[in-house]
Amino acid sequence: MNKMQDLPWDNPRFRNWIAVVQAEKAIVRALTKALQPFDLKIAQLDLLMNLYRHPGTSQHDIARKLLVGRSNVTMLMPQMEKQGLIRREGDARDKRVLRLYLTEKGEDVLLKALKAYTALIDRVMASSTPAQCDAMGDQMRKISEMLKDE
């Protein structure tokens, strides 16, 4: 951009996008703090939530669901196993595939962490009507879909 071009500061799309980014950073900070008592990081919570909903998911499939590389998931596994939160089992039909499951402790920690997460969401969304929440969600899903392959 040169000095003769319009700068984006007054563009509503730019200004509102910056607000979304700032809100996301604030949520990440607050959620990181809320998860500390459970000795969890956000990536671990994401993994636990997905395994709760889809037990026996492969590492490859969980990485796709979380929009991360398989190596990211692989790096989480040893610590989460050591914490007693998950277990890996070989697939009966394909020995190359590992299936992931929550342990009893993992489910217990997840359900407690979800209460903290839900309380945070309720707190930050309290001033929004259900229609506003739905509109925001619709817009974020459109953005995710548009950028999913980038």
Side-chain angles (χ1 to χ4, degrees):
M1 236 180 234
N2 65 42
K3 290 183 180 185
M4 299 305 288
Q5 292 176 314
D6 290 332
L7 294 172
W9 319 133
D10 294 325
N11 178 328
R13 288 182 175 142
F14 183 87
R15 184 178 61 248
N16 289 313
W17 186 255
I18 295 302
V20 168
V21 171
Q22 289 173 334
E24 186 268 343
K25 288 179 181 183
I27 290 289
V28 166
R29 277 193 314 269
L31 183 55
T32 298
K33 185 177 178 181
L35 293 176
Q36 285 175 346
F38 310 106
D39 196 23
L40 286 179
K41 300 208 178 333
I42 294 173
Q44 293 172 314
L45 177 64
D46 285 344
L47 195 134
L48 293 175
M49 287 190 297
N50 275 276
L51 291 181
Y52 184 84
R53 295 183 70 207
H54 309 285
T57 301
S58 70
Q59 287 184 220
H60 175 76
D61 288 342
I62 203 86
R64 255 196 357 246
K65 284 180 191 284
L66 297 176
L67 304 175
V68 299
R70 275 187 294 180
S71 62
N72 294 57
V73 172
T74 301
M75 291 174 58
L76 290 174
M77 297 296 109
Q79 179 63 33
M80 293 181 78
E81 281 182 309
K82 186 177 176 182
Q83 289 173 285
L85 303 174
I86 62 163
R87 69 179 194 281
R88 294 186 267 191
E89 293 180 10
D91 185 280
R93 286 174 266 169
D94 187 345
K95 298 298 180 199
R96 298 169 297 170
V97 175
L98 288 174
R99 300 282 170 193
L100 306 175
Y101 298 91
L102 290 181
T103 63
E104 191 175 312
K105 178 182 177 185
E107 187 173 325
D108 182 56
V109 168
L110 169 64
L111 295 176
K112 290 175 183 172
L114 273 176
K115 285 183 183 178
Y117 193 13
T118 302
L120 175 62
I121 292 168
D122 287 344
R123 190 172 102 225
V124 300
M125 299 299 286
S127 65
S128 301
T129 67
Q132 289 169 322
C133 290
D134 288 340
M136 183 181 358
D138 290 344
Q139 188 61 36
M140 294 300 116
R141 281 184 286 280
K142 285 178 190 174
I143 291 167
S144 295
E145 182 62 27
M146 182 189 340
L147 298 176
K148 74 178 180 184
D149 295 328
E150 294 187 26

